[in-house]
Amino acid sequence: MSTDNALLEEYSQREYKHGFVTDIEADAIAPGLNEDVVRLISSKKNEPGWLLEWRLKAYRHWLTLKEPTWHNVKYPPIRYQDSIYYSAPKQQIKLNSLDEVDPRLLETYEKLGIPLEEQKALAGVAVDAVFDSVSVATTYKATLEEHGVIFGPFSEAVHKYPELVKQYLGSVVPYSDNFFAALNSAVFSDGSFCFIPKGVRCPLELSTYFRINAQNTGQFERTLIIAEEGSYVSYLEGCTAPKRDENQLHAAVVELVAMKDAQIKYSTVQNWYPGDADGKGGIYNFVTKRGACRGDNSKISWTQVETGSAITWKYPSVILQGDNSVGEFYSVAVTANHQQADTGTKMIHIGKNTKSTIISKGISAGFGQNSYRGQVKILKGATNARNFSQCDSLLIGDRCGAHTFPYIQVRNTTAKVEHEASTSKVGEDQIYYCRQRGLKTEDAVNMIVNGFCKEVYDVLPMEFAVEARKLLSVSLEGSVG
Amino acid sequence: MIATETDAYQDAYQRLNDARGDTFPVWLRELSERALNQFTTLGIPTTRDEDWRFTNIAPFAARTYKIAESAEIPASRIESLVNDAILDEQFHRLVFINGRYAAQWSYLHELPNGVIAESVAQSILTHPQSIESRVGQHFDCENSAFIALNTAFVEDGANIVVPDDMIVDRPFHLIFLSVTDEPAVSHPRNLISIGKNSRATLIESFRGLEGASYFTNAVTEVELHESAHFDHHKLQHEQLNALHLATTQVDQQAGSHFSSHYFSFGGDLSRNELNCMLNGERAQCTLNGLYMPVGDQHMDCRTRIDHARAHCKSFEIYKGILDGRSKGVFNGKIYVHQDAQKTDAKQSNQALLLSDDAIVDTKPQLEIYADDVRCTHGATVGELDEQAIYYLRSRGIPADQARTMLIFAFANDVVRGVEVLAVRQHLETILLAEHGLDNV
Amino acid sequence: MLEIKNLHAKSEDKDILRGINLQVNVGEVHAIMGPNGSGKSTLAHVLAGREDYEVTQGEILYNGQNLLEMNIEQRAAAGLFLAYQYPIEIPGVSNKYFLKAAMNAVRKQHGQPLIDTTSFLKLLKENMQLLGMDKSMMERSVNEGFSGGEKKRNEILQMAMLQPKLAVLDETDSGLDIDALRIVADGVNTLRGPDRAIIVVTHYQRLLDYIVPDQVHVLAEGRIVRSGDRTLALELEDKGYGFLETHSAAASAAAV
């Protein structure tokens, strides 16, 4: 396979396609973190006193915590005091239409292939574009308002719906949850807030494009989605970031609350800058995502396609409190070059007849290290709980690694928990077969890898599935042999 | 690590060291000293240690156990213990009481030429050079407090050596009896070496005097030379007050075959670690295990298989049947090193919960650094298949009996893999008796 | 169409082909027979360009081009098709998708317009009916969970769709019952024509009752030891491969 190898090597060493820095003046505060910085962030956003207090509590708690080391990723120590904890594009004026948006910003979106103009045309997608921590454009607001759906920047929700924010903020991921969640709680910049009232089926798929832009800015998004009784929402999150040399810390928190009979479907395509072929640069993505199925018959699904970031540390989880509630996790994680991923999920079964499904597909190429880490916990009261987990790894090249760390804890006899895992490589015979039918090696590999991920793509919203396929082939360009 | 926890061991160590005569080799004294220091540094692990996350050893290890002295127990009681342990008179039998070789209860048939089967204490006394290269060779005490502790207190155990090109038909049966009337600890250290193209079978049985409270901290080191075949069985029947910790380390050279059959019935808290290092191409290991905790028993089974060379195979099935308020922990790691291409590894863990209060913690792990491999693992936890029970009932079998039959079938899957007839019969009898089934 | 001259090939230091000479003209059907280990499958894979084999001597001309200088997919695009003895499974990739991708890859190479979905599906449906294949097979992953017979039929379907110029069938009859064999043979016979050549590699003469060859070659120890018409296959069936031993011994003796 020597010719294939060479070709694939070349193919994998492609450059990050979304690497460019938008030149917009940013309003940033000096690097470093202390109580004054926390106060400053809060005051810049005119936050109410209770929120500042909450941030300060989180900050003080963060000081008592140690950065976790149990994960299977390696990186040089992060100098938290060298990071900038607030940066917002300078224009702060409210915009009525896209015409008023800085054209250079729109250009950036166009380069990424996700222009807002086009987004509007896309079937039923409302976009809340977060550009360097502050939302600058929101579309389809009217349609959503008609249905009583609240969807907008977190910072706005704090002022418009303080009671809702106060009630739910930190109710799924408390500020004390872990090191990165505590840090986020102290300094979170902005994010999305979404509330679906009782009985409403959200008429659009909600979408937010996150983007890290200004140099040296830690990105601390905070997203909160509440689905009231009998409601439904599908939320899409997609990310790309400009190319740069320094590592960037990203510590987001996402909280989902599903009440009785409610359903939340949360899909992510993550394509942040992974660093160059030598492992230099790239985003550190330390994210805490968790959903609570509070009510009976509620359902939360996480679907993720993770192709970017130098390091991904993320475990979208579901707490299955309500009886008959359902948790799902579908994941494709790609690590090429020197990327590392430690990702998976936690399914905590508390209610009766709760069900969870975990499908994880890890793809390692180059020097990439890909770990699945998952916990399935069936508590004593969770009669008839069911879990099925399947974790498959695909290896491309002989210097990468694939690891599986499932934790299964069962406290109830009626539980049924099944876990399966397998590891394999892209078969040379498969490539040969495809080539004999006329396909080029890289097309053959793409086809095989996409086939491997099919179960996850099948649950992605249509336009995301298309994007995911593209991302995957770009991520693996040249890494196969 | 709280200093007082290891203090008791320090004092005991001093007494033991003073008692070691001039014949005790210097290298072993030094090794033992280093191990003690390592043990002190590491301390007793806590549940914050990832390796001990599901097993809280601290309350047990903090108890004061004395180094077991020869207790004044009537010979008749020992005799009945030995008789309970004997599986087949045809086996070579080495009996250890409180960790020390007991010649009067042991029996060795005529051994093939060159085969050594004796106590480690004897080897230390008469030909220490034969074990010098074999103690602590295949693992470091760096990371395991209890291996370090065993090494510090190294005194006796079984030394089995089978030279090249030899088939030993009779199994070696090592019987470890804890016979004490006060809390006591023993640290048996077994050294086993099977030569090129040779074949041998070994059984380890652990038992204790009824009602006794004791701590067994055993370490077994196995070397399998090229194309050696070795069948290892362990029957853990410790008393219900006992703390049983054991580590077996197997180093396998090219083309060697190792099979392990572990059966865990006894102990208050037991933890069995089995580590296989596939250190030569085309080496193979098969690890089977069955753990059946009842009452308040806690059983922890750990295995680690290192695929360090290409073309090796490993197969593993561990099954747990949990009743009462017991807890069963399984932690199985398969580690495929870089360049260990064409690895074929299969692992499966299945746990059956018979009681609402039983607890299962399972952590199968794959760590893979080579690309041309086939590795799978699976884990299931659940109760008996209701459909199967229904099917049996529809054929006229009462529900209770149907359940029992299914439990037996579940366990027998592991028992069936045992090739030594006397061991298999012993296990079947226990399984059947446990559930009131007639022998078929 | 195909000219093989003094072809030597080895795999992992083992010489397998030791001087094959063979000429196949357009419109002809050739059968290559021989005992296990004689090099039949190796010859098929060397033609397809499998990289596990190293050609150490000789040449292969395909429509005047040097086949050995072309890579696997170039050969496929040039109309060379191999029906595998053990078709490969590709989980998650639907049969339909695979076939369309393959057809378009070949078309692209020739600068032809890509096939549109409607015509593709129409063509697919026709060919599947011909081979008695169930519709559902198109949605299933390539060869995954297919029975032996289904896999072989799937190979013939691919051949029918790709319309190769030179088709090499590697033990296509193995593992087929008589009905499946007939269907597969019918599929091959439909493809038979003046602008196409077919090489049938088989151990048994049974298949040749259905696909009647113009010429039969017997391979032993990496060489063609006898060539003849259809009657040679019948003779082999009658006497078994055993009778070749004397022949090949004689042949090697003659060669020295």
Side-chain angles (χ1 to χ4, degrees), chain B residues 191 238 249 296 303 318:
Chain B
L191 303 169
E238 299 279 25
Q249 177 76 30
D296 288 305
T303 64
Y318 264 67

Side-chain angles (χ1 to χ4, degrees), chain B residues 26-141:
Chain B
V26 176
W27 64 267
L28 194 52
R29 202 184 289 267
E30 284 171 0
L31 178 69
S32 131
E33 185 95 37
R34 273 204 306 281
L36 185 79
N37 289 337
Q38 191 57 31
F39 169 70
T40 314
T41 312
L42 289 168
I44 308 285
T46 70
T47 49
R48 281 189 302 277
D49 182 338
E50 181 64 31
D51 284 346
W52 291 84
R53 184 171 166 155
F54 301 121
T55 296
N56 187 6
I57 188 79
F60 293 87
R63 288 181 199 162
T64 311
Y65 297 100
K66 296 177 75 171
I67 295 289
E69 306 293 336
S70 34
E72 305 210 343
I73 304 289
S76 59
R77 294 188 66 186
I78 297 180
E79 185 174 11
S80 85
L81 266 181
V82 173
N83 285 337
D84 287 345
I86 289 175
L87 296 163
D88 190 329
E89 292 289 353
Q90 296 304 311
F91 297 172
H92 298 293
R93 184 167 76 240
L94 290 90
V95 177
F96 297 82
I97 294 178
N98 299 330
R100 293 193 188 85
Y101 186 62
Q104 71 271 37
W105 303 109
S106 304
Y107 185 85
L108 291 168
H109 297 266
E110 196 183 334
L111 288 164
N113 220 355
V115 173
I116 298 173
E118 64 183 16
S119 78
V120 166
Q122 176 71 29
S123 307
I124 292 175
L125 202 64
T126 55
H127 43 104
Q129 68 287 350
S130 75
I131 57 163
E132 182 167 358
S133 61
R134 289 163 55 214
V135 182
Q137 275 310 292
H138 301 297
F139 37 26
D140 53 87
C141 305

Side-chain angles (χ1 to χ4, degrees), chain B residues 119-387:
Chain B
S119 78
V120 166
Q122 176 71 29
S123 307
I124 292 175
L125 202 64
T126 55
H127 43 104
Q129 68 287 350
S130 75
I131 57 163
E132 182 167 358
S133 61
R134 289 163 55 214
V135 182
Q137 275 310 292
H138 301 297
F139 37 26
D140 53 87
C141 305
E142 299 290 302
N143 299 312
S144 166
F146 294 103
I147 294 176
L149 187 63
N150 176 288
T151 309
F153 287 87
V154 63
E155 207 185 342
D156 208 348
N159 178 22
I160 311 264
V161 178
V162 176
D164 293 351
D165 305 307
M166 188 164 289
I167 292 169
V168 182
D169 289 322
R170 287 178 205 269
F172 297 99
H173 189 187
L174 313 182
I175 299 173
F176 298 91
L177 303 176
S178 289
V179 185
T180 71
D181 43 15
E182 55 182 354
V185 55
S186 62
H187 301 280
R189 181 76 163 224
N190 304 311
L191 303 169
I192 292 152
S193 172
I194 313 295
K196 284 182 192 167
N197 306 313
S198 293
R199 229 173 239 272
T201 302
L202 183 104
I203 299 139
E204 292 183 54
S205 292
F206 290 85
R207 288 174 176 266
L209 200 62
E210 208 175 325
S213 158
Y214 57 90
F215 171 19
T216 306
N217 180 34
V219 172
T220 300
E221 293 182 76
V222 180
E223 291 174 352
L224 302 185
H225 295 275
E226 277 168 45
S227 302
H229 279 60
F230 184 54
D231 279 358
H232 181 259
H233 308 77
K234 177 168 169 178
L235 306 170
Q236 193 271 96
H237 288 293
E238 299 279 25
Q239 279 301 313
L240 287 175
N241 289 329
L243 167 63
H244 178 93
L245 302 180
T247 306
T248 301
Q249 177 76 30
V250 186
D251 183 78
Q252 293 189 245
Q253 295 302 314
S256 61
H257 284 230
F258 173 68
S259 68
S260 158
H261 308 271
Y262 174 61
F263 296 90
S264 178
F265 300 103
D268 183 1
L269 186 154
S270 65
R271 171 158 155 138
N272 193 62
E273 292 195 35
L274 174 56
N275 304 317
C276 285
M277 173 61 80
L278 299 168
N279 224 347
E281 290 199 1
R282 294 177 208 282
Q284 252 187 54
C285 68
T286 304
L287 312 186
N288 293 331
L290 178 66
Y291 48 103
M292 298 179 60
V294 295
D296 288 305
Q297 283 182 303
H298 177 119
M299 292 185 182
D300 184 346
C301 300
R302 296 176 68 82
T303 64
R304 175 178 169 129
I305 301 169
D306 276 83
H307 282 261
R309 295 284 186 276
H311 295 283
C312 293
K313 289 183 181 176
S314 65
F315 306 97
E316 176 173 12
I317 298 177
Y318 264 67
K319 287 194 174 193
I321 301 174
L322 295 91
D323 209 342
R325 291 168 302 277
S326 68
K327 181 167 180 177
V329 178
F330 173 78
N331 190 317
K333 181 180 269 190
I334 294 173
Y335 194 105
V336 180
H337 295 240
Q338 209 169 60
D339 303 325
Q341 301 295 10
K342 305 285 177 191
T343 286
D344 189 351
K346 289 191 187 69
Q347 182 194 64
S348 160
N349 172 236
Q350 295 167 23
L352 197 56
L353 286 170
L354 302 179
S355 144
D356 272 339
D357 296 314
I359 288 176
V360 167
D361 287 317
T362 289
K363 191 182 165 200
Q365 300 168 70
L366 298 175
E367 274 198 69
I368 297 167
Y369 294 92
D371 67 331
D372 193 2
V373 299
R374 261 220 324 262
C375 296
T376 61
H377 71 194
T380 58
V381 180
E383 53 181 347
L384 287 171
D385 182 353
E386 284 303 325
Q387 290 198 1

